[in-house]
């Protein structure tokens, strides 16, 4: 049992006594020592810290983890209302529940107390059983609140780590797609370089000589091809470079940039793509990220075409403008084979039995730009719609 001498001895000694158990901590603030003694006895099963004035109470709250405050109102220098006001204005102490314990019993006083943020108001003289019950209730609520906040923080941290892993996995998938697109872009130029070399070697073997005009023509062709390959690499490098800049951009331009990156791959797999444009809306946002969403959708459709071995592969992109810009991407790949189509935008879920990270990241990007992306089945395929 904590007696009155603990009010008078040093804070260091009191803290040592307090650490003998791990109960929740109650701060009693009252300028009458007899009242403190009664409360110490009544609440002896808890950790209790007494303070005989408002300034001392504020100092204790800065140094100790307080779970509940029993606060008298009528105190010299600083009354309980002012102490409560100071505590509630500080984010570090605002969540500590405060019960006013006072002989001031008018409705006006109670209203002031609750308006300041108190969770309860008990008038003196109090019923010990009632006080114990109320203190127990508010301590349990505080414990539940702390536990809930810890769980929320834990889940936020888990989601942060999960998003980082998803982002890393998505980037790895993008690298794989990037290498495939570069390979398809370079396939024809490399073939042309090989043909030039084979022709020159064959001429040397047959005639033993190459005239200057033929040699210069070969140099010009190889230079042109190498420049094209360098430009292709520069385009891919710029496209995948991180860019947080927001600007006004044309929807059509962002879409064509994505198509240019995938055009060689589409040509290789005989995928036809049509653009229907009645309007060319200008929107404000991150153009690079918007193009990445288009590319992700096109990559996803390409994978479905190949998985299902669709013969006549076709994609129609339609750009419309009303109150908002609307872009729809329609394919003839057989539709989405999920009971809940919206699940296709969830992480680790896709319609091709593989990770759906690209669509998950696409939804994040579009929602970050204050838009929506949705999918639905239509005739023999699916339609993805982006609204900004």
């Amino acid at each position: 049992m904590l007696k009155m001498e603990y009010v008078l001895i040093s804070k260091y000694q009191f803290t040592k006594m307090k650490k003998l158990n791990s109960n929740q901590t109650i701060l009693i603030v009252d300028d009458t020592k007899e009242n403190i003694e009664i409360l110490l006895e009544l609440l002896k099963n808890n950790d209790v810290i007494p303070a005989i004035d408002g300034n001392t109470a504020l100092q204790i709250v800065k140094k100790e983890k307080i779970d509940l405050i029993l606060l008298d109102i009528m105190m010299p220098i600083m009354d309980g209302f002012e102490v409560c006001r100071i505590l509630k204005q500080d984010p570090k102490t605002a969540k500590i529940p405060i019960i006013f314990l006072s002989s001031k019993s008018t409705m006006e006083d109670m209203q002031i107390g609750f308006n300041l943020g108190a969770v309860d108001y008990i008038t003196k003289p109090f019923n010990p059983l009632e006080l114990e019950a109320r203190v127990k209730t508010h301590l349990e609520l505080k414990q539940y609140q702390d536990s809930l906040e810890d769980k929320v923080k834990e889940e936020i941290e888990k989601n942060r780590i999960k998003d980082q892993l998803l982002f890393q996995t998505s980037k790895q998938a993008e690298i794989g797609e990037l290498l495939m697109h570069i390979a398809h872009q370079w396939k024809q130029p490399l073939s042309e370089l090989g043909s030039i070399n084979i022709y020159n070697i064959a001429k040397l073997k047959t005639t033993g000589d190459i005239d200057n005009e033929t040699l210069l023509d070969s140099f010009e062709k190889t230079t042109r091809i190498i420049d094209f390959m360098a430009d292709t690499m520069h385009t891919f490098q710029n496209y995948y470079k991180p860019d947080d800049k927001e600007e006004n951009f044309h929807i059509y331009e962002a879409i064509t940039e994505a198509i240019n990156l995938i055009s060689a791959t589409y040509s290789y797999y005989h995928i036809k793509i049509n653009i229907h444009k009645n309007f060319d809306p200008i929107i404000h946002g991150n153009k690079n990220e918007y193009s990445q969403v288009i590319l992700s959708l096109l990559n996803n459709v390409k994978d479905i075409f190949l998985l299902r071995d669709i013969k006549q592969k076709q994609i129609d992109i339609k750009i419309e403008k009303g109150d908002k810009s609307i872009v729809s991407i329609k394919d003839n790949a057989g539709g989405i084979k999920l009971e809940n189509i919206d699940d296709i935008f969830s992480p680790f879920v896709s319609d091709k039995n593989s990770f759906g990270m690209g669509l998950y990241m696409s939804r994040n990007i579009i929602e970050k730009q204050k838009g929506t992306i949705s999918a639905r089945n239509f005739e023999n395929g699916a339609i993805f719609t982006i609204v900004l």
Side-chain angles (χ1 to χ4, degrees):
M1 166 175 145
L2 299 178
K3 292 185 181 289
M4 199 54 220
E5 58 259 35
Y6 291 115
V7 182
L8 306 175
I9 62 177
S10 72
K11 185 68 174 62
Y12 172 74
Q13 290 172 295
F14 186 82
T15 302
K16 284 179 64 179
M17 177 64 72
K18 209 170 73 66
K19 289 181 180 177
L20 290 176
N21 60 67
S22 58
N23 293 333
Q24 290 172 286
T25 302
I26 302 171
L27 173 62
I28 300 172
V29 189
D30 198 309
D31 64 329
T32 304
K33 295 181 180 179
E34 290 74 14
N35 291 339
I36 290 181
E37 282 190 314
I38 294 171
L39 291 169
L40 286 173
E41 175 62 27
L42 194 62
L43 302 172
K44 61 185 178 183
N45 291 327
N46 299 93
D47 288 335
V48 182
I49 301 178
I52 57 175
D53 59 68
N55 283 324
T56 302
L58 293 175
Q59 293 302 313
I60 291 173
V61 170
K62 289 181 180 179
K63 298 176 182 178
E64 299 288 342
K65 183 183 180 299
I66 303 299
D67 297 291
L68 179 66
I69 299 175
L70 294 178
L71 181 58
D72 188 22
I73 294 175
M74 293 187 294
M75 296 184 293
I77 304 175
M78 182 186 298
D79 67 16
F81 288 150
E82 182 62 21
V83 173
C84 182
R85 185 179 293 108
I86 293 172
L87 290 172
K88 293 302 178 181
Q89 287 176 348
D90 187 345
K92 295 179 180 179
T93 58
K95 293 183 179 180
I96 301 175
I98 296 174
I99 299 177
F100 279 115
L101 190 58
S102 174
S103 57
K104 293 171 72 70
S105 58
T106 67
M107 290 300 296
E108 182 181 355
D109 293 323
M110 292 182 183
Q111 187 67 45
I112 292 173
F114 285 118
N115 287 342
L116 287 172
V119 296
D120 211 339
Y121 194 109
I122 302 174
T123 58
K124 298 176 184 177
F126 55 81
N127 182 313
L129 293 178
E130 179 187 0
L131 184 136
E132 282 187 276
R134 293 195 187 186
V135 166
K136 181 181 178 183
T137 297
H138 289 297
L139 284 175
E140 288 176 350
L141 287 173
K142 180 64 164 57
Q143 190 173 41
Y144 178 78
Q145 179 185 5
D146 290 344
S147 175
L148 187 61
E149 288 180 353
D150 289 341
K151 289 184 184 300
V152 169
K153 290 178 182 177
E154 183 181 344
E155 289 302 315
I156 289 174
E157 179 63 17
K158 284 181 181 177
N159 287 334
R160 186 185 67 82
I161 294 173
K162 182 191 73 173
D163 285 344
Q164 287 180 342
L165 292 173
L166 290 174
F167 181 76
Q168 291 281 25
T169 306
S170 177
K171 283 300 178 185
Q172 290 173 357
E174 282 184 3
I175 290 172
E177 295 282 357
L178 169 64
L179 292 175
M180 178 190 67
H181 297 322
I182 292 175
H184 288 149
Q185 290 276 25
W186 281 7
K187 184 177 181 180
Q188 182 62 32
L190 288 173
S191 177
E192 290 182 25
L193 287 175
S195 297
I196 292 171
N197 286 336
I198 290 172
Y199 172 80
N200 288 336
I201 290 171
K203 193 161 188 178
L204 281 172
K205 286 182 176 180
T206 55
T207 64
D209 187 26
I210 300 179
D211 60 83
N212 289 339
E213 185 177 348
T214 301
L215 196 58
L216 286 173
D217 183 58
S218 296
F219 284 154
E220 289 177 0
K221 287 181 180 179
T222 55
T223 299
R224 187 171 60 253
I225 293 170
I226 291 171
D227 286 343
F228 169 80
M229 295 173 71
D231 288 342
T232 301
M233 181 57 70
H234 182 68
T235 299
F236 279 102
Q237 183 181 15
N238 286 340
Y239 183 77
Y240 282 95
K241 183 172 62 177
D243 181 12
D244 295 328
K245 183 177 66 174
E246 292 193 350
E247 59 185 347
N248 292 328
F249 65 89
H250 289 266
I251 289 283
Y252 179 73
E253 184 179 349
I255 291 174
T256 54
E257 285 185 6
I259 292 174
N260 288 338
L261 292 173
I262 205 173
S263 59
T265 302
Y266 267 43
S267 176
Y268 179 81
Y269 290 118
H270 306 291
I271 301 172
K272 185 179 180 182
I273 187 165
N274 303 309
I275 298 182
H276 309 275
K277 176 174 69 76
N278 296 325
F279 300 94
D280 185 11
I282 298 176
I283 64 173
H284 184 80
N286 189 302
K287 178 183 176 183
N288 199 36
E289 288 186 347
Y290 188 90
S291 294
Q292 287 181 25
V293 170
I294 299 299
L295 182 62
S296 178
L297 293 174
L298 294 177
N299 278 329
N300 186 74
V301 176
K302 179 259 301 175
D303 290 341
I304 297 294
F305 277 143
L306 300 181
L307 180 69
R308 298 175 181 173
D309 194 24
I310 304 298
K311 300 305 179 185
Q312 301 294 327
K313 311 175 188 69
Q314 181 169 314
I315 294 176
D316 291 284
I317 298 178
K318 189 175 182 180
I319 305 174
E320 301 175 273
K321 182 184 179 184
D323 294 336
K324 302 176 181 180
S325 72
I326 303 172
V327 172
S328 59
I329 299 177
K330 182 174 69 172
D331 63 65
N332 63 336
I336 300 169
K337 310 298 185 182
L338 290 174
E339 184 175 345
N340 184 4
I341 292 179
D342 201 51
D343 284 345
I344 201 168
F345 296 103
S346 300
F348 305 120
V349 175
S350 89
D351 193 38
K352 52 182 183 291
N353 300 318
S354 65
F355 293 158
M357 227 73 69
L359 296 180
Y360 171 74
M361 298 302 292
S362 294
R363 169 166 281 186
N364 285 345
I365 289 172
I366 294 300
E367 288 181 349
K368 187 178 73 173
Q369 297 195 21
K370 311 300 182 186
T372 61
I373 180 171
S374 60
R376 62 185 176 90
N377 286 324
F378 180 82
E379 294 179 355
N380 62 336
I383 297 179
F384 288 83
T385 303
I386 301 172
V387 180
L388 285 175

